[in-house]
Amino acid sequence: MDDRAIRAALERHWVASDANDFKVEHEIYREDAVLDYPQSGERIRGRRNIQESRCLQPNKKRFTVQRIIGRGDLWVTELILTYDGRPSYTVSIMEFRDGQVANETQYFADPFEPGPSRAHLVERAGELRSS
């Protein structure tokens, strides 16, 4: 799978994620995929378990992709994942094998105000840059 095809698969994945289309959202994963959430210490093994964990989550979610970068088997997506109206700045690192995601790690960060010591240096962009 070339880079253009992987990028298209990622774009389809994130559009499906935003639409709560759990079937299409999880087509990108290998059957034996592993998903890690380092901040909570969770590891979920297998496409079906990843999908079920997301289907069971009661929060209303929205996905706004800011940027997708990558090449070959390593791709990073920066996005804003909004849970019940509250934004979380998110980084998804996906490792591909044979054209599907073998490993994904997601990191989450809450928004915060700039520190006063650097406030005079800061441009208020509001959101991360777009691709």
Side-chain angles (χ1 to χ4, degrees), residues 12-75:
R12 178 179 158 103
H13 166 77
W14 294 117
V15 167
S17 297
D18 189 53
N20 288 310
D21 184 341
F22 295 112
K23 180 181 182 300
V24 173
E25 177 183 15
H26 293 87
E27 290 174 352
I28 200 168
Y29 296 99
R30 294 172 48 90
E31 286 294 330
D32 62 348
V34 175
L35 171 61
D36 286 310
Y37 296 118
Q39 290 163 291
S40 64
E42 295 170 274
R43 171 170 283 167
I44 303 170
R45 291 185 185 276
R47 180 190 338 178
R48 286 189 181 96
N49 290 336
I50 294 168
Q51 183 175 1
E52 183 177 349
S53 74
R54 291 175 174 161
C55 288
L56 293 174
Q57 193 172 51
N59 305 77
K60 181 179 179 188
K61 299 174 292 204
R62 297 303 315 254
F63 295 77
T64 306
V65 172
Q66 301 297 300
R67 174 166 78 144
I68 297 173
I69 58 172
R71 184 179 327 161
D73 292 335
L74 184 61
W75 290 79

